[in-house]
Amino acid sequence: MDKILEAVVTSSYPASVKQGLLARRVGCQLLHVAGRHHPEVFAEFFSARRVLRLLQGGAGPPGPRALACVQLGLQLLPAGPAAEEVSALLRREVLRTACERPGPAVCAQLARLLARHPRCLPDGPHRLLFCQQLLRCLGRFRCPAEGEDGAVEFLEQAQQVSALLAQLWRAQPAAILPCLKELFAVISCAEEEPPSSALASVVQHLPLELMDGVVRNLSNDDSVTDSQMLTAISRMIDWVSWPLGRNIDQWIIALLKGLAAVKKFSILIEVSLAKIEKVFSKLLYPIVRVAALSVLKYMLLTFQHSHEAFHLLLPHIPPMVASLLKEDSNSGTSCLEQLAELVHCMVFRFPGFPDLYEPVMEAIKDLHVPNEDRIKQLLGQDAWTSQKSELAGFYPRLMAKSDTGKIGLINLGNTCYVNSVLQALFMASDFRHCVLRLTENNSQPLMTKLQWLFAFLEHSQRPAISPENFLSASWTPWFSPGTQQDCSEYLKYLLDRLHEEEKTGTRICQKLKQSSSPSPPEEPPGPSSTSVERMFGGKIVTRICCLRCLNVSSREEAFTDLSLAFPPPERSRHRRLGSVMLPAEGVGAREPPPLSPAQVPSRVGLRRQRKHCITGEAPHPVLDIEGLSSQGLGEQGSREEKVERDEEAKEERADEEDVQEEQEEEERTREKEEKEKEVEEEKGEKEAEKETEEEEEEGGGLGPGSPRATGPSAEASRSVLDLVNYFLSPERLTAENRYYCEPCASLQEAERVVELSRGPRYLILTLLRFSFDLRTMRRRKILDDVAIPLLLRLPLAGGQAQAYDLCSVVVHSGLSSESGHYYCYAREAAARPGPSLGAAGRPEPEHQWYLFNDTRVSFSSFESVSNITSFFPKDTAYVLFYRQRPGEGAPAEPASPRGWTEPTLHKDLMEAISKDNILFLQEQEKEARSRAAYISALPASPHWGRGFDEDKDEDEGSPGGCSPAGGNGGDFHRLVF
């Protein structure tokens, strides 16, 4: 073909014939031949008029072939006036072409032409207009073909156009900021069709030194609406999928930081929830993995007011980990390590969801676990630190009541210790009914506030309510606002306040009744028990036996909870009834007390206790400060005793030597008796253990974390019964703890025995986990796993026992009493053998367990309660609620409606609940209307509709972290009590 064209052009035909031939057969090959062999003829032919006709030959912008011919012609055209005339024409035509929004192929050819011949670029103010029009052209790019070849060609075309823009910005830096404004206008426009992700190719050419100033100006621009900003940042996050872009993640993170700096949290929350799953999905592709992981880490580590964003990813994490492991590349390995570190940070930040986290923790169990300092560093470096005072009531979302029918409590700023206690008290049905039956006119303001709180927890339509007013009324004076506190301490203070308030109110009512009565005053009736006494009150008897004169003194005291200390490690393996002892409470160790005649009981275990006691070994290194006061060490010495102590020192030494000889003699006699009866005791204990196992099986089974699972591997574990027996076991009072015996009129060694004379209806057990370590001189938490039985037989005085069913467990997650998080497992009433299933396939309310985690309430199971510490070592049972079993051995009731109903509320309270429910429905309707109007201004995307309208499962809902937004990160249209 080249030879034919060359022969035509070099022939002796007239020039007019040759020009006509060129006009009819224009092509790159012909132009090349003409320009090379006949430059004069070519220059006359390739005139400005001919170029204009070539560019405007068809409708719309010129095609790629025409632009290619123009580019070749410019290359062959010799310098001179004709060339200048063509260049001037092209400076106008390329701007017109860009304004006509050509496709990727034409734009790419135009970029090649101008990159090769920069003299054809528009000059003056037209150059800025040309840059802006090129940006709009990029926004219209659409990949024309499917498959790998089409995608590669599309990427190359976008890169060529963005490279031309970079060339223009280097020549004219002043055009960058106006171009950025144009770029923001393109990506923030609420058009039906979103702009092309090809705009991401421009970001790599933006100077990073402009980032801070651009973001600051943009985030503080009052002319930019929240809707525009939300649309723009959402589309920028979509650019993470652009494979050839550099610095995209840096610009996205900078813009997110700018929005956080000006407290535009609604945008941040909305865009995080809408886009975090899409960003996470990009980790599958190595070419965009680095940028996607960078954006994902920032979004998760800053979204700390709520676990909602993290919980959106939970279903996707195990398959992602499996895919990355299968990939087996350096990039995949690095991504896995960072992802595992990120998951550990989020689990640390939002504890209390064992059922949701178990599959994720199983998937990453073989990966590196960061230490706590590293986790705290990551959580602290990117947090929205200014959000804490605003997010609790900042961002209302359309929320529905939990599928459980239960209502959560809003965390008001490290108040999870209050929420967990209130939910446990609420689920104690007898106590709840007692509170709800309170009359309207009473003299118990705190109980009245609790009545209102319980009534709304029972009957409100809101997903969560705020206990602010009740917290203010029941505030413990020595607590610091906004800091984590001990839930057990708050519970004790609350019950004491309610008890004293009811006693005072009763006395006032009696005096008023007597003063208003005209008849002569009658004898005042005896003091009646309060609600707290009836529900939580028990009696404990303390007997102290002097080991010299064998005199026994006893004292009966009331209690509302039992504080159970942990036995020393060497004692924990003896699991039989009465086979555990109290730890050394003082500096000296306990010696085995002799068996006095006053203490030869019918209880078998007392003799066996002495077999395992500590005799001269070093005391347990942990001293339970909180357990000292609750267990009463018998320090009853008065001032007189202190004076007598010096005077009687010599006499006591002599007496002690005599007592020592008597003790040794009695010890030998007792050991002989023990050997004779050991076989008989072992037989009795085996029968008792068998009976206990049968009772535990009646209570519904204990699961893998129960005391029943006590094989050789579980020998060192403890159960609640171990701690109860340890609390009830005899204690030797020696050295500084000696007892002042009145008959002896001196300090004497003694033995103290504690027995329960009457069990409460609701037994509250506090496991003393927060202790003082004498080695480090610091408070620490005992993380030992304690098996929690579903059925507990509490030993009473006289060899009797009372059966109790587990109904609530308050769990502490963390390493210190001053930090961490509390949540509560609870169920309605005492368990019965063989729980029946309801219509929905769930157990009846008496057997169904719930997990209360601030505003989040979800279904749970006793298996979750039993295994909580095995899955999450920092999550340990702290306060246990047991309900007295009313009739032991009663036949199981068939599946039937409950035998009890909620009490009828007084009129004012019912009206208040009804009005609030109507108000809540109105708020929901108003919110839905405004949200629909808001969505209509946003680009159509499946993510928006799902985020606003879909009725999500509660497990994907709101948080349990200890933060001002604590249960859900939202407002819930707050109703304050």
Side-chain angles (χ1 to χ4, degrees), residues 15-26:
S16 58
V17 176
K18 294 179 181 180
Q19 288 182 5
L21 180 62
L22 289 174
R24 290 193 301 270
R25 299 291 183 181
V26 168

Side-chain angles (χ1 to χ4, degrees), residues 329-341:
S329 65
N330 293 335
S331 172
T333 303
S334 175
C335 181
L336 265 178
E337 293 175 353
Q338 296 182 65
L339 181 60
E341 186 177 63

Side-chain angles (χ1 to χ4, degrees), residues 547-550 594 655-670:
L547 296 180
R548 182 181 182 186
C549 68
L550 304 181
D655 292 340
E656 287 175 4
E657 292 176 0
D658 296 338
V659 171
Q660 183 76 19
E661 293 176 0
E662 294 176 4
Q663 288 177 357
E664 291 175 358
E665 203 171 324
E666 292 176 356
E667 180 71 22
R668 286 192 293 270
T669 304
R670 189 178 63 254

Side-chain angles (χ1 to χ4, degrees), residues 306-370:
S306 161
H307 65 205
E308 191 172 1
F310 177 52
H311 281 195
L312 288 175
L313 301 181
L314 292 181
H316 310 298
I317 293 176
M320 178 64 72
V321 171
S323 298
L324 293 175
L325 287 172
K326 186 177 180 180
E327 182 181 309
D328 192 21
S329 65
N330 293 335
S331 172
T333 303
S334 175
C335 181
L336 265 178
E337 293 175 353
Q338 296 182 65
L339 181 60
E341 186 177 63
L342 194 58
V343 170
H344 284 293
C345 287
M346 292 296 100
V347 172
F348 181 89
R349 178 64 184 86
F350 304 115
F353 305 95
D355 298 341
L356 299 181
Y357 294 162
E358 181 181 349
V360 176
M361 301 305 290
E362 179 68 21
I364 63 172
K365 65 180 180 180
D366 297 329
L367 300 175
H368 173 69
V369 179

